[in-house]
Amino acid sequence: MSKFPAFASLMLGLFMTVHSFALDAPKEFANPEQERLYGQVIRELRCLVCQNQNLADSNADLAQDLRRKSYEMIVSGKGYDEIIHFMVQRYGDFVLYRPRLKPATLILWFAPFAMLVLLVTVVVARTRSQKARHPVPLSHSEKLRVDKLLK
Amino acid sequence: MTRKSIFPFLAFLVVVGFLAVGLQRDPSLVPSPFIGKPAPAFSLPDLLDNSRTVRNGDFRGEVWIFNVWASWCAACRDEHPLFHQLAALNLVPIVGLNYKDKAADARAWLDALGNPYTVVVTDESGDTGVDYGVYGVPETFVVDREGIVRLKHIGPLNAHSMQSEIIPLVKSLLL
């Protein structure tokens, strides 16, 4: 029984970190589409103060302000691209958790695939070269000797 | 060295190369998208005279410094003496942006530490801060005569950054 409060507070703690944005003033949307967009935007934008959290998870003052900004823009009818543009204009590409595809991010996007291709090539080449080394067949006398030893 | 053992060595060199660059960077410094762009517009009340509105356009034709500060910000206290030194040089207007603060606290802070600012504008909501991409108070901007942002310094200035970054840039923009 004494374990229960500890367990409960642990669960509560986990629950609260995931839902810190629930501490904001309740937000009302004109339609479910806006609400879905709001959820998407605050999950994809990084909080600049606590850099490893997105806006949805962060309790920082700035994250609250940026959630409010996102909300205001959505309610006034702005779309996903406009909100992302607004944030990138002010905080740079760093604010995006999903980096955009452009020359500077080509390595970021394609290095994993390039490495996979490289790995597969190396493995295939090595297995082939091993297969290429055909074992020399045993001569008749050698075969007899093998049979004798195995008996 | 045999041919086979050279590949792990080359891979090692590549990793060393990436780490040598990557580990020397400060991940908390986000590259600013403002350099070379027009300073975002603002129209805000004067902290010391609420009836007066100050706009960024008021400084057109002048080089000016924009310093984001708040009374709740400990590092602002550290860099504050440097702004007194800068003000004493009488080079350019120093505009303060009192960010997400209470006007009474801000005034008390200036009374206690002195006011080096040409003018201080209040941004209680933090909206202007967002427009300027502020995320780590204090922040300092240098804006040129055409209203273009030439420098953004995130975090407190120290004697070295003031002497080697801000003042030389301001002087070169004044020429």
Side-chain angles (χ1 to χ4, degrees), chain A residues 34 37 41 69-83 86:
Chain A
Q34 286 189 350
L37 179 61
V41 161
K69 277 275 171 198
S70 309
Y71 171 73
E72 286 168 4
M73 288 180 81
I74 288 169
V75 171
S76 71
K78 298 275 196 315
Y80 175 83
D81 290 339
E82 284 163 295
I83 298 168
F86 176 91

Side-chain angles (χ1 to χ4, degrees), chain B residues 1-160:
Chain B
M1 197 178 279
T2 65
R3 256 189 78 221
K4 248 189 172 170
S5 65
I6 201 152
F7 290 106
F9 182 67
L10 284 179
F12 172 72
L13 283 187
V14 169
V15 172
V16 166
F18 273 99
L19 290 180
V21 177
L23 290 178
Q24 287 181 40
R25 286 189 181 170
D26 182 349
S28 70
L29 294 183
V30 179
S32 174
F34 286 98
I35 311 301
K37 301 231 174 85
F42 64 78
S43 175
L44 294 168
D46 185 334
L47 173 72
L48 302 177
D49 176 7
N50 266 317
S51 62
R52 194 176 151 233
T53 302
V54 180
R55 294 175 182 82
N56 61 316
D58 297 350
F59 305 99
R60 239 318 125 98
E62 283 187 279
V63 178
W64 51 288
I65 286 178
F66 195 45
N67 175 239
V68 184
W69 66 277
S71 66
W72 46 260
C73 150
C76 298
R77 202 171 273 264
D78 293 340
E79 69 166 11
H80 198 66
L82 293 168
F83 281 99
H84 280 296
Q85 289 170 24
L86 183 67
L89 295 176
N90 223 344
L91 287 170
V92 289
I94 308 172
V95 182
L97 179 76
N98 184 233
Y99 175 68
K100 289 184 78 88
D101 208 349
K102 293 195 182 76
D105 293 348
R107 284 193 210 107
W109 197 84
L110 289 178
D111 282 344
L113 299 173
N115 182 2
Y117 300 105
T118 315
V119 63
V120 177
V121 291
T122 53
D123 178 27
E124 246 185 279
S125 67
D127 281 356
T128 301
V130 169
D131 284 342
Y132 275 78
V134 169
Y135 68 91
V137 192
E139 292 193 12
T140 304
F141 297 75
V142 176
V143 184
D144 71 12
R145 287 198 170 101
E146 278 75 47
I148 305 293
V149 176
R150 301 301 285 262
L151 180 136
K152 181 187 183 190
H153 184 99
I154 295 157
L157 292 166
N158 55 34
H160 179 258

